[in-house]
Amino acid sequence: MSTLTLKGPYWVTVRQYRRALRVVAAGVLLSLAMMAWLRYWDGQTTGTNQDNGFTVLRIALDWASTAMITLPLLVGAFVAGPLVGREFESGTYKLALTQSVSPARWLGSKLLVAGAVTVGATVVLIGVYRLGWANFTDAWSFLWYEPGTYTATGPVVVAQALLALGLGALIGQLVRRTVTAMALTGLVTGLVLLVVSQFRWSLMPVKTITGPLTEGITTVLPASSRETGSGLITTTGERLPLQACWDRTEQWDVCPADMNIAGQYWDHHPSSHYWPIQLIETGIVLALAALALFAAFRVLRARHA
């Protein structure tokens, strides 16, 4: 039993933030209970004249999607930023360093406790979202590639939260002010994740479907595929914009002979690309998180050898 008991700086960290830990646990359990109830309600009203459960569950998923996108920013601003910044601003870290605790162990204990809670809570929230999403996997606003659904259903959001934790540990030491650390951590985390997301659909090569030229330039892609580009293709393989024939003939499916149009093409990511892209992006974000943590410990060592 004693081996399971937290000791030293770990016990101090848990004791210091016990109220926040209780709030996190209560929030996660409440989210789980509410989503389970909405799933049950939806099942009870499906096919009836008063299908209110479906509507409410859809609204709840919309909110949950937004919440999961902003979760890493909240972790950075309200967990990672104050976790270190407040200690330096108040000077309480000095007391810990006088208790035969090395600076690296002091910071490591805080990050380990915060990381364990963050990962555990985030994994449960992913399960909560998937519990409600199971009824909407084919809905146009909840397809696998939609930003909210993509973030909320896979491991990438866990990596994003850990990145926020690492950035908070670094920024908290650099600014040594609680409110400033909160603001900067949230801002920097958001900017880094925004940049990474811009390359998301370039992490894997797209698949291409070709077909005959049709009136109206209709698509032949499955509903679950994410289209990344489309247009006309010539007999030599050259790609042209969709409106290339329209600009010449004012008809979508009538092209001048000199253009040598062979048909249409569609570039897309099929749903089978979901997990490879998730895992690649997760690896990239985890590498950035490790880099932030490495920098945080380097700064700590330089200032408190």
Side-chain angles (χ1 to χ4, degrees):
M1 184 68 180
S2 59
T3 59
L4 300 178
T5 304
L6 293 173
K7 297 180 180 180
Y10 302 99
W11 180 87
V12 172
T13 301
V14 172
R15 182 72 177 174
Q16 186 178 5
Y17 296 97
R18 62 187 182 281
R19 292 182 180 177
L21 295 176
R22 290 169 182 167
V23 170
V24 171
V28 170
L29 291 176
L30 180 61
S31 300
L32 177 59
M34 290 182 62
M35 191 63 75
W37 165 248
L38 290 175
R39 272 292 306 272
Y40 172 77
W41 187 17
D42 180 33
Q44 293 296 110
T45 59
T46 298
T48 66
N49 294 331
Q50 296 181 341
D51 195 359
N52 298 325
F54 179 86
T55 302
V56 176
L57 180 58
R58 189 183 187 105
I59 294 173
L61 276 180
D62 277 329
W63 290 351
S65 297
T66 303
M68 292 297 278
I69 289 177
T70 58
L71 179 63
L73 279 66
L74 297 177
V75 170
F78 295 99
V79 178
L83 189 68
V84 176
R86 181 183 300 161
E87 295 281 331
F88 282 103
E89 183 177 20
S90 62
T92 53
Y93 75 98
K94 297 178 181 178
L95 177 61
L97 298 184
T98 61
Q99 306 300 313
S100 300
V101 176
S102 67
R105 189 184 178 198
W106 167 78
L107 180 60
S109 63
K110 288 187 171 298
L111 293 177
L112 187 59
V113 171
V117 174
T118 298
V119 171
T122 305
V123 169
V124 175
L125 290 176
I126 291 173
V128 170
Y129 186 91
R130 280 184 167 273
L131 178 64
W133 180 60
N135 287 12
F136 295 89
T137 54
D138 296 327
W140 66 269
S141 57
F142 295 103
L143 293 173
W144 67 272
Y145 56 78
E146 295 294 337
T149 301
Y150 174 87
T151 302
T153 55
V156 69
V157 69
V158 179
Q160 292 174 349
L162 292 177
L163 172 61
L165 199 62
L167 290 173
L170 175 60
I171 294 173
Q173 291 186 79
L174 294 176
V175 301
R176 299 191 170 211
R177 293 291 184 273
T178 305
V179 176
T180 306
M182 292 172 65
L184 284 178
T185 302
L187 177 62
V188 174
T189 300
L191 290 176
V192 172
L193 295 182
L194 179 62
V195 171
V196 173
S197 68
Q198 299 304 306
F199 299 94
R200 175 175 297 161
W201 306 116
S202 301
L203 297 177
M204 283 194 67
V206 297
K207 291 184 177 295
T208 301
I209 294 179
T210 58
L213 190 63
T214 57
E215 184 178 0
I217 313 297
T218 56
T219 181
V220 298
L221 292 178
S224 61
S225 292
R226 184 186 189 275
E227 183 178 324
T228 61
S230 62
L232 307 178
I233 188 169
T234 68
T235 54
T236 61
E238 180 184 2
R239 293 185 171 192
L240 299 175
L242 282 172
Q243 71 276 11
C245 293
W246 174 269
D247 293 339
R248 296 276 299 274
T249 65
E250 295 190 354
Q251 296 186 63
W252 290 107
D253 58 338
V254 177
C255 301
D258 63 309
M259 294 181 66
N260 299 318
I261 299 299
Q264 304 170 227
Y265 75 89
W266 297 267
D267 290 335
H268 70 289
H269 284 292
S271 57
S272 60
H273 282 189
Y274 169 80
W275 278 112
I277 293 175
Q278 275 272 346
L279 295 177
I280 294 172
E281 185 175 353
T282 298
I284 293 172
V285 177
L286 284 177
L288 294 175
L291 185 62
L293 287 173
F294 175 77
F297 279 97
R298 290 286 293 182
V299 170
L300 183 69
R301 181 180 301 177
R303 294 185 174 182
H304 305 279

